[in-house]
Amino acid sequence: MDGTVNESASGSGQSGLGPRGSLVMSLTLALLLGMLSALVMFPAAEHLRSLRNGERADATLHTSGSCMIGHCRVEFEADGRTVVADLPTGSGGGKQSVGAALTVRYQADDPQVVAREADVGGGGAALLAWISGGTALLFLILSAVAAVFLVRQRRAAADGPGIPV
C-alpha cells in the first residue's frame, strides 16, 4: 500500500539452496547412496550368491512384505522339521501373496540362512547396488560442479566490478 516491495522471508529475494547448500546436499546424498551401495547392497548380493550351492527345498511364503528390504519370511521342511526363516535383504518376490509356492536354497548346517532360488544370482541386490553407486557418483560430480561454481563466484566477488575490456 505504501509503494514498497515485499522481499522473501530470508530478505535476499533469492530462492533455492544456493551454491553452498547444493554442495552440502550433493555431498550428503553422494555419501548416503555410496554407503547404501557399499555397505548394504553389495554385501547382500554376495550373501545371495553364497547360497548357490545350498540345499534346495520347496517352500511357501509365510509372511509377505517388502522382500527387497528383508521383510518376508518363508516356511519349508529341512531335515524333517519345519523351519520359518527370514529372506535376506535384496530378495525378490514381494508381490507374491502369503501361501505362494517357491523354491529356496539354504545352508545345510543352518537352515535359517535361506534365499529364494531365483535370487541366488544376486540379481536384484546387485542391480540396486550398481544403481545407488552410479547415483552416488552423479551426486559427487554435481558436488564438484557446485564447488567450482562457488570458487568462481568468490573470485568474482574478490576482484570487484571491473571495467570490461
Coordinates of all heavy atoms in Angstrom, one line a residue, residues 61-148:
L61 N 5.5 -69.0 1.0 CA 5.7 -67.6 1.6 C 4.8 -67.5 2.9 O 3.6 -67.7 2.8 CB 5.3 -66.6 0.6 CG 5.7 -65.1 0.9 CD1 7.2 -65.0 1.0 CD2 5.2 -64.2 -0.2
H62 N 5.5 -67.4 4.0 CA 4.8 -67.4 5.3 C 4.4 -66.0 5.7 O 3.3 -65.8 6.2 CB 5.8 -67.9 6.4 CG 5.3 -68.0 7.7 ND1 5.3 -66.9 8.6 CD2 4.6 -69.0 8.4 CE1 4.8 -67.2 9.8 NE2 4.4 -68.5 9.6
T63 N 5.2 -65.0 5.4 CA 4.9 -63.6 5.7 C 5.3 -62.8 4.5 O 6.5 -62.8 4.1 CB 5.6 -63.1 7.0 OG1 5.3 -64.0 8.0 CG2 5.2 -61.7 7.3
S64 N 4.4 -62.0 3.9 CA 4.8 -61.2 2.8 C 5.0 -59.8 3.2 O 4.6 -59.4 4.3 CB 3.7 -61.2 1.7 OG 2.6 -60.6 2.1
G65 N 5.7 -59.0 2.4 CA 6.0 -57.6 2.7 C 7.0 -57.1 1.7 O 7.0 -57.6 0.6
S66 N 7.8 -56.2 2.1 CA 8.8 -55.7 1.2 C 10.1 -56.6 1.3 O 10.9 -56.4 2.1 CB 9.2 -54.3 1.6 OG 10.2 -53.8 0.7
C67 N 10.1 -57.6 0.4 CA 11.2 -58.6 0.4 C 12.5 -58.0 0.1 O 13.6 -58.4 0.6 CB 10.9 -59.7 -0.6 SG 9.5 -60.7 -0.2
M68 N 12.6 -56.9 -0.7 CA 13.8 -56.3 -1.1 C 14.6 -55.7 0.2 O 15.8 -55.7 0.2 CB 13.6 -55.1 -2.1 CG 14.8 -54.5 -2.6 SD 16.0 -55.7 -3.4 CE 15.2 -56.0 -4.9
I69 N 13.8 -55.3 1.2 CA 14.5 -54.8 2.4 C 14.5 -55.9 3.5 O 14.7 -55.5 4.7 CB 13.9 -53.5 2.9 CG1 12.4 -53.6 3.2 CG2 14.2 -52.4 1.9 CD1 11.8 -52.4 3.8
G70 N 14.1 -57.1 3.2 CA 14.2 -58.2 4.2 C 13.0 -58.4 5.1 O 13.1 -58.8 6.2
H71 N 11.8 -58.1 4.6 CA 10.6 -58.2 5.4 C 9.7 -59.4 5.0 O 8.5 -59.3 5.1 CB 9.8 -56.9 5.5 CG 10.5 -55.9 6.3 ND1 10.3 -54.5 6.0 CD2 11.2 -55.9 7.4 CE1 11.0 -53.8 6.9 NE2 11.6 -54.7 7.8
C72 N 10.3 -60.4 4.4 CA 9.5 -61.6 4.0 C 10.0 -62.8 4.7 O 11.2 -62.9 5.0 CB 9.6 -61.8 2.5 SG 8.7 -60.7 1.5
R73 N 9.1 -63.7 5.0 CA 9.5 -65.0 5.7 C 9.0 -66.2 4.9 O 7.9 -66.1 4.3 CB 9.0 -65.1 7.1 CG 9.5 -63.9 7.9 CD 9.0 -64.0 9.3 NE 10.0 -64.8 10.0 CZ 9.9 -65.2 11.3 NH1 8.8 -65.1 11.9 NH2 10.8 -65.9 11.8
V74 N 9.7 -67.3 4.9 CA 9.3 -68.5 4.2 C 9.3 -69.6 5.2 O 9.9 -69.6 6.2 CB 10.3 -68.8 3.0 CG1 10.2 -67.8 1.9 CG2 11.7 -69.0 3.5
E75 N 8.4 -70.6 4.8 CA 8.3 -71.8 5.6 C 8.6 -73.0 4.8 O 8.1 -73.1 3.6 CB 6.9 -71.9 6.2 CG 6.7 -73.1 7.1 CD 5.3 -73.1 7.6 OE1 4.6 -72.1 7.8 OE2 4.8 -74.3 7.9
F76 N 9.5 -73.9 5.3 CA 9.9 -75.1 4.5 C 10.4 -76.2 5.4 O 10.5 -76.0 6.6 CB 11.0 -74.7 3.5 CG 12.3 -74.2 4.1 CD1 13.4 -75.0 4.3 CD2 12.4 -72.9 4.5 CE1 14.5 -74.6 4.9 CE2 13.6 -72.4 5.0 CZ 14.6 -73.2 5.3
E77 N 10.5 -77.4 4.9 CA 11.0 -78.5 5.6 C 12.5 -78.7 5.4 O 13.0 -78.7 4.3 CB 10.3 -79.8 5.2 CG 8.8 -79.8 5.5 CD 8.5 -80.1 7.0 OE1 9.2 -80.8 7.6 OE2 7.5 -79.5 7.4
A78 N 13.2 -78.9 6.5 CA 14.7 -79.1 6.5 C 15.0 -80.2 7.5 O 14.7 -80.0 8.7 CB 15.5 -77.8 6.7
D79 N 15.5 -81.3 7.1 CA 15.9 -82.4 8.0 C 14.7 -82.9 8.8 O 14.9 -83.1 10.0 CB 17.1 -82.0 8.9 CG 18.4 -81.7 8.1 OD1 18.5 -82.4 7.0 OD2 19.1 -80.9 8.5
G80 N 13.5 -82.9 8.2 CA 12.4 -83.4 8.9 C 11.7 -82.4 9.9 O 10.8 -82.8 10.6
R81 N 12.2 -81.2 9.9 CA 11.5 -80.2 10.8 C 11.1 -79.0 10.0 O 11.7 -78.7 9.0 CB 12.4 -79.8 12.0 CG 13.6 -79.1 11.6 CD 14.5 -78.9 12.9 NE 15.8 -78.4 12.4 CZ 16.2 -77.1 12.7 NH1 15.4 -76.4 13.4 NH2 17.3 -76.7 12.3
T82 N 10.1 -78.3 10.5 CA 9.6 -77.1 9.8 C 10.4 -75.9 10.2 O 10.6 -75.7 11.4 CB 8.1 -76.9 10.2 OG1 7.3 -78.1 9.7 CG2 7.5 -75.7 9.5
V83 N 10.8 -75.2 9.3 CA 11.7 -74.0 9.5 C 10.9 -72.8 8.9 O 10.4 -72.8 7.8 CB 13.0 -74.1 8.8 CG1 13.9 -72.9 9.0 CG2 13.8 -75.4 9.3
V84 N 10.9 -71.7 9.7 CA 10.4 -70.4 9.3 C 11.6 -69.5 9.4 O 12.1 -69.3 10.4 CB 9.2 -69.9 10.1 CG1 8.8 -68.5 9.7 CG2 8.0 -70.9 10.1
A85 N 12.0 -69.0 8.2 CA 13.2 -68.2 8.1 C 12.9 -66.9 7.4 O 12.1 -66.8 6.5 CB 14.3 -68.9 7.5
D86 N 13.7 -65.8 7.7 CA 13.6 -64.6 7.0 C 14.4 -64.6 5.7 O 15.5 -65.1 5.7 CB 14.2 -63.4 7.9 CG 13.4 -63.2 9.1 OD1 12.2 -63.3 9.1 OD2 14.0 -62.9 10.2
L87 N 13.8 -64.1 4.7 CA 14.5 -63.9 3.4 C 15.4 -62.7 3.6 O 15.1 -61.7 4.3 CB 13.6 -63.7 2.2 CG 12.7 -64.9 1.8 CD1 11.8 -64.5 0.7 CD2 13.6 -66.0 1.3
P88 N 16.6 -62.8 3.1 CA 17.6 -61.7 3.3 C 17.3 -60.4 2.5 O 16.5 -60.4 1.5 CB 18.9 -62.3 2.8 CG 18.5 -63.3 1.8 CD 17.2 -63.8 2.3
T89 N 17.9 -59.3 2.9 CA 17.8 -58.1 2.1 C 18.3 -58.3 0.7 O 19.2 -59.1 0.4 CB 18.8 -57.0 2.7 OG1 18.4 -56.8 4.1 CG2 18.7 -55.7 2.0
G90 N 17.5 -57.8 -0.3 CA 17.8 -57.9 -1.7 C 17.0 -59.0 -2.3 O 17.2 -59.3 -3.5
S91 N 16.1 -59.7 -1.6 CA 15.3 -60.7 -2.2 C 14.2 -60.2 -3.0 O 13.7 -59.1 -2.8 CB 14.7 -61.6 -1.0 OG 15.7 -62.2 -0.3
G92 N 13.8 -60.9 -4.0 CA 12.6 -60.5 -4.8 C 11.4 -61.2 -4.3 O 11.4 -61.8 -3.2
G93 N 10.3 -61.2 -5.0 CA 9.1 -61.9 -4.7 C 8.2 -61.2 -3.8 O 7.3 -61.8 -3.2
G94 N 8.3 -59.9 -3.6 CA 7.5 -59.2 -2.7 C 6.0 -59.0 -3.1 O 5.2 -58.7 -2.3
K95 N 5.8 -59.3 -4.4 CA 4.4 -59.1 -4.9 C 3.6 -60.4 -4.8 O 2.4 -60.5 -5.1 CB 4.5 -58.7 -6.4 CG 5.0 -57.3 -6.5 CD 5.1 -56.9 -7.9 CE 5.7 -55.5 -8.0 NZ 6.1 -55.1 -9.3
Q96 N 4.2 -61.5 -4.3 CA 3.5 -62.7 -4.1 C 2.7 -62.6 -2.8 O 3.1 -62.0 -1.9 CB 4.5 -63.9 -4.0 CG 5.2 -64.1 -5.3 CD 6.2 -65.2 -5.2 OE1 6.8 -65.5 -4.1 NE2 6.5 -65.9 -6.3
S97 N 1.6 -63.4 -2.8 CA 0.8 -63.4 -1.6 C 1.2 -64.5 -0.6 O 1.9 -65.5 -1.0 CB -0.7 -63.5 -1.9 OG -0.9 -64.7 -2.7
V98 N 0.8 -64.4 0.6 CA 1.1 -65.4 1.6 C 0.5 -66.8 1.1 O -0.6 -66.9 0.6 CB 0.4 -65.1 3.0 CG1 0.6 -66.2 4.0 CG2 1.1 -63.8 3.5
G99 N 1.4 -67.8 1.3 CA 1.0 -69.1 0.8 C 1.5 -69.5 -0.6 O 1.3 -70.6 -1.0
A100 N 2.1 -68.5 -1.3 CA 2.6 -68.8 -2.6 C 3.8 -69.8 -2.5 O 4.6 -69.7 -1.6 CB 3.1 -67.5 -3.2
A101 N 3.8 -70.7 -3.5 CA 4.9 -71.7 -3.5 C 6.1 -71.1 -4.2 O 6.0 -70.4 -5.2 CB 4.4 -72.9 -4.3
L102 N 7.3 -71.4 -3.6 CA 8.5 -71.0 -4.2 C 9.6 -72.0 -3.8 O 9.4 -72.8 -2.9 CB 8.9 -69.6 -3.8 CG 8.9 -69.3 -2.3 CD1 10.3 -68.7 -1.9 CD2 7.9 -68.2 -2.0
T103 N 10.7 -72.0 -4.5 CA 11.9 -72.9 -4.2 C 12.9 -72.0 -3.5 O 13.2 -70.9 -3.9 CB 12.4 -73.5 -5.4 OG1 11.3 -74.2 -6.1 CG2 13.5 -74.5 -5.1
V104 N 13.5 -72.6 -2.4 CA 14.6 -71.8 -1.7 C 15.8 -72.7 -1.7 O 15.8 -73.9 -1.9 CB 14.1 -71.5 -0.2 CG1 13.0 -70.5 -0.2 CG2 13.8 -72.8 0.6
R105 N 16.9 -72.0 -1.4 CA 18.2 -72.6 -1.1 C 18.6 -72.2 0.3 O 18.4 -71.0 0.7 CB 19.3 -72.1 -2.1 CG 19.1 -72.5 -3.5 CD 19.6 -73.8 -3.8 NE 19.5 -74.2 -5.2 CZ 20.1 -75.2 -5.7 NH1 20.9 -76.0 -5.0 NH2 19.8 -75.5 -7.0
Y106 N 19.1 -73.1 1.1 CA 19.5 -72.8 2.5 C 20.8 -73.5 2.8 O 21.2 -74.5 2.1 CB 18.4 -73.2 3.5 CG 18.2 -74.7 3.6 CD1 18.8 -75.5 4.5 CD2 17.2 -75.3 2.7 CE1 18.6 -76.9 4.6 CE2 17.0 -76.7 2.8 CZ 17.7 -77.4 3.8 OH 17.4 -78.8 3.8
Q107 N 21.5 -73.0 3.8 CA 22.8 -73.7 4.3 C 22.4 -74.9 5.1 O 21.5 -74.9 5.9 CB 23.5 -72.7 5.2 CG 24.2 -71.6 4.5 CD 25.1 -70.8 5.4 OE1 25.1 -71.0 6.7 NE2 25.8 -69.8 4.9
A108 N 23.1 -76.0 4.7 CA 22.7 -77.3 5.4 C 23.0 -77.3 6.9 O 22.2 -77.8 7.6 CB 23.6 -78.4 4.8
D109 N 24.0 -76.6 7.4 CA 24.2 -76.5 8.8 C 23.4 -75.5 9.5 O 23.4 -75.5 10.8 CB 25.7 -76.3 9.0 CG 26.3 -75.1 8.4 OD1 25.6 -74.5 7.5 OD2 27.4 -74.6 8.8
D110 N 22.8 -74.6 8.8 CA 21.9 -73.5 9.4 C 20.8 -73.2 8.5 O 20.9 -72.3 7.6 CB 22.8 -72.3 9.7 CG 22.0 -71.2 10.5 OD1 20.8 -71.5 10.9 OD2 22.6 -70.1 10.7
P111 N 19.7 -73.9 8.6 CA 18.5 -73.6 7.7 C 17.9 -72.2 7.8 O 17.1 -71.8 7.0 CB 17.5 -74.7 8.1 CG 18.2 -75.6 9.0 CD 19.4 -75.0 9.5
Q112 N 18.3 -71.5 8.9 CA 17.8 -70.1 9.0 C 18.4 -69.2 7.9 O 17.9 -68.1 7.7 CB 18.1 -69.5 10.4 CG 17.2 -70.2 11.5 CD 15.8 -69.9 11.3 OE1 15.3 -68.8 11.0 NE2 14.9 -70.9 11.6
V113 N 19.5 -69.6 7.4 CA 20.2 -68.8 6.3 C 19.6 -69.4 5.0 O 20.0 -70.4 4.5 CB 21.7 -69.0 6.4 CG1 22.4 -68.2 5.2 CG2 22.2 -68.5 7.7
V114 N 18.7 -68.6 4.4 CA 17.9 -69.0 3.3 C 17.8 -67.9 2.3 O 17.9 -66.7 2.6 CB 16.5 -69.5 3.8 CG1 15.7 -68.4 4.4 CG2 15.8 -70.2 2.7
A115 N 17.5 -68.3 1.0 CA 17.2 -67.3 -0.1 C 16.4 -68.0 -1.1 O 16.4 -69.2 -1.3 CB 18.5 -66.8 -0.7
R116 N 15.6 -67.2 -1.8 CA 14.8 -67.8 -2.9 C 15.8 -68.2 -4.0 O 16.8 -67.6 -4.2 CB 13.9 -66.7 -3.6 CG 12.7 -66.3 -2.8 CD 11.8 -65.3 -3.5 NE 12.5 -64.6 -4.6 CZ 11.9 -64.4 -5.8 NH1 10.7 -64.9 -6.1 NH2 12.5 -63.7 -6.7
E117 N 15.5 -69.4 -4.6 CA 16.4 -69.9 -5.6 C 16.5 -68.9 -6.8 O 17.6 -68.8 -7.4 CB 15.9 -71.3 -6.1 CG 16.9 -71.9 -7.1 CD 16.4 -73.3 -7.4 OE1 15.3 -73.5 -7.8 OE2 17.3 -74.2 -7.3
A118 N 15.5 -68.2 -7.1 CA 15.5 -67.2 -8.1 C 16.5 -66.0 -7.8 O 16.9 -65.3 -8.7 CB 14.1 -66.7 -8.4
D119 N 16.8 -65.9 -6.6 CA 17.7 -64.7 -6.2 C 19.1 -65.1 -5.9 O 19.9 -64.2 -5.7 CB 17.1 -64.1 -4.8 CG 15.8 -63.5 -5.0 OD1 15.5 -63.0 -6.1 OD2 15.0 -63.5 -4.0
V120 N 19.5 -66.3 -6.0 CA 20.9 -66.7 -5.6 C 21.9 -66.2 -6.7 O 23.1 -66.3 -6.4 CB 21.0 -68.2 -5.4 CG1 20.2 -68.6 -4.2 CG2 20.7 -69.0 -6.6
G121 N 21.5 -65.6 -7.7 CA 22.4 -65.0 -8.7 C 22.8 -63.6 -8.2 O 23.7 -63.0 -8.7
G122 N 22.1 -63.1 -7.2 CA 22.3 -61.7 -6.6 C 21.7 -60.6 -7.4 O 21.9 -59.5 -7.1
G123 N 20.9 -61.0 -8.4 CA 20.3 -60.0 -9.4 C 19.7 -58.7 -8.8 O 20.2 -57.7 -9.1
G124 N 18.7 -58.8 -8.0 CA 18.0 -57.5 -7.6 C 18.9 -56.7 -6.7 O 19.0 -55.5 -6.8
A125 N 19.6 -57.4 -5.8 CA 20.5 -56.6 -4.9 C 21.7 -56.1 -5.7 O 22.1 -54.9 -5.4 CB 21.0 -57.6 -3.8
A126 N 22.2 -56.8 -6.6 CA 23.4 -56.3 -7.4 C 22.9 -55.1 -8.3 O 23.6 -54.1 -8.4 CB 23.9 -57.4 -8.3
L127 N 21.7 -55.2 -8.8 CA 21.2 -54.1 -9.6 C 21.0 -52.8 -8.8 O 21.5 -51.8 -9.2 CB 19.9 -54.5 -10.3 CG 19.2 -53.4 -11.1 CD1 20.0 -53.1 -12.3 CD2 17.8 -53.9 -11.5
L128 N 20.5 -53.0 -7.6 CA 20.3 -51.8 -6.7 C 21.6 -51.3 -6.3 O 21.8 -50.1 -6.1 CB 19.4 -52.2 -5.5 CG 17.9 -52.1 -5.8 CD1 17.2 -52.6 -4.5 CD2 17.5 -50.8 -6.2
A129 N 22.6 -52.2 -6.1 CA 24.0 -51.7 -5.7 C 24.6 -50.8 -6.8 O 25.1 -49.8 -6.5 CB 24.9 -52.9 -5.4
W130 N 24.4 -51.3 -8.0 CA 25.0 -50.5 -9.1 C 24.2 -49.2 -9.3 O 24.8 -48.2 -9.6 CB 25.0 -51.3 -10.4 CG 26.1 -52.3 -10.4 CD1 26.0 -53.7 -10.3 CD2 27.5 -52.1 -10.5 NE1 27.3 -54.3 -10.2 CE2 28.2 -53.3 -10.4 CE3 28.3 -50.9 -10.6 CZ2 29.6 -53.4 -10.4 CZ3 29.7 -51.0 -10.6 CH2 30.3 -52.3 -10.5
I131 N 22.9 -49.3 -9.2 CA 22.1 -48.0 -9.4 C 22.5 -47.0 -8.3 O 22.7 -45.8 -8.6 CB 20.6 -48.4 -9.4 CG1 20.3 -49.1 -10.7 CG2 19.8 -47.1 -9.2 CD1 18.8 -49.6 -10.7
S132 N 22.5 -47.4 -7.0 CA 22.8 -46.5 -6.0 C 24.3 -46.0 -6.0 O 24.6 -44.9 -5.8 CB 22.5 -47.1 -4.6 OG 23.3 -48.2 -4.3
G133 N 25.2 -46.9 -6.5 CA 26.6 -46.5 -6.6 C 26.7 -45.5 -7.8 O 27.4 -44.5 -7.7
G134 N 26.0 -45.7 -8.9 CA 26.0 -44.7 -10.0 C 25.4 -43.4 -9.6 O 25.9 -42.3 -10.0
T135 N 24.3 -43.4 -8.9 CA 23.7 -42.2 -8.4 C 24.6 -41.5 -7.5 O 24.7 -40.2 -7.5 CB 22.3 -42.5 -7.8 OG1 21.6 -43.3 -8.7 CG2 21.6 -41.2 -7.5
A136 N 25.3 -42.2 -6.6 CA 26.3 -41.5 -5.7 C 27.4 -40.8 -6.5 O 27.8 -39.7 -6.2 CB 26.9 -42.6 -4.8
L137 N 27.8 -41.5 -7.6 CA 28.8 -40.9 -8.5 C 28.3 -39.6 -9.1 O 29.0 -38.6 -9.2 CB 29.3 -41.9 -9.5 CG 30.4 -41.4 -10.4 CD1 31.7 -41.1 -9.7 CD2 30.7 -42.5 -11.5
L138 N 27.0 -39.7 -9.6 CA 26.4 -38.5 -10.2 C 26.4 -37.3 -9.2 O 26.7 -36.2 -9.5 CB 25.0 -38.8 -10.6 CG 24.1 -37.6 -11.1 CD1 24.7 -37.2 -12.4 CD2 22.7 -38.0 -11.2
F139 N 26.0 -37.6 -7.9 CA 25.9 -36.5 -6.9 C 27.3 -36.0 -6.6 O 27.5 -34.9 -6.2 CB 25.2 -37.0 -5.7 CG 23.7 -36.8 -5.9 CD1 22.9 -38.0 -6.0 CD2 23.1 -35.6 -5.9 CE1 21.5 -37.9 -6.2 CE2 21.7 -35.5 -6.1 CZ 20.9 -36.6 -6.2
L140 N 28.3 -36.9 -6.7 CA 29.7 -36.5 -6.4 C 30.1 -35.5 -7.5 O 30.8 -34.5 -7.3 CB 30.6 -37.7 -6.4 CG 32.0 -37.5 -5.8 CD1 31.9 -36.9 -4.4 CD2 32.8 -38.8 -5.8
I141 N 29.8 -35.8 -8.8 CA 30.1 -34.9 -9.9 C 29.4 -33.6 -9.7 O 29.9 -32.5 -9.9 CB 29.7 -35.6 -11.2 CG1 30.7 -36.7 -11.5 CG2 29.8 -34.6 -12.4 CD1 30.3 -37.7 -12.6
L142 N 28.1 -33.6 -9.3 CA 27.3 -32.4 -9.1 C 28.0 -31.6 -8.0 O 28.0 -30.3 -8.0 CB 25.9 -32.7 -8.7 CG 25.0 -33.2 -9.9 CD1 23.6 -33.6 -9.3 CD2 24.9 -32.1 -10.9
S143 N 28.6 -32.2 -7.0 CA 29.3 -31.5 -5.9 C 30.5 -30.8 -6.4 O 30.8 -29.7 -6.1 CB 29.7 -32.5 -4.8 OG 28.6 -33.2 -4.2
A144 N 31.2 -31.5 -7.3 CA 32.4 -30.9 -7.9 C 32.0 -29.6 -8.7 O 32.7 -28.6 -8.7 CB 33.1 -31.9 -8.8
V145 N 30.9 -29.7 -9.5 CA 30.4 -28.6 -10.3 C 30.0 -27.4 -9.4 O 30.4 -26.3 -9.6 CB 29.3 -29.0 -11.2 CG1 28.6 -27.8 -11.8 CG2 29.8 -30.0 -12.3
A146 N 29.3 -27.8 -8.3 CA 28.9 -26.7 -7.3 C 30.2 -26.1 -6.7 O 30.2 -24.9 -6.4 CB 28.0 -27.3 -6.3
A147 N 31.2 -26.9 -6.4 CA 32.4 -26.3 -5.8 C 33.1 -25.4 -6.7 O 33.6 -24.3 -6.3 CB 33.3 -27.5 -5.3
V148 N 33.2 -25.8 -8.0 CA 33.8 -24.9 -9.0 C 33.0 -23.6 -9.1 O 33.6 -22.5 -9.2 CB 33.9 -25.6 -10.3 CG1 34.3 -24.7 -11.5 CG2 35.0 -26.7 -10.3

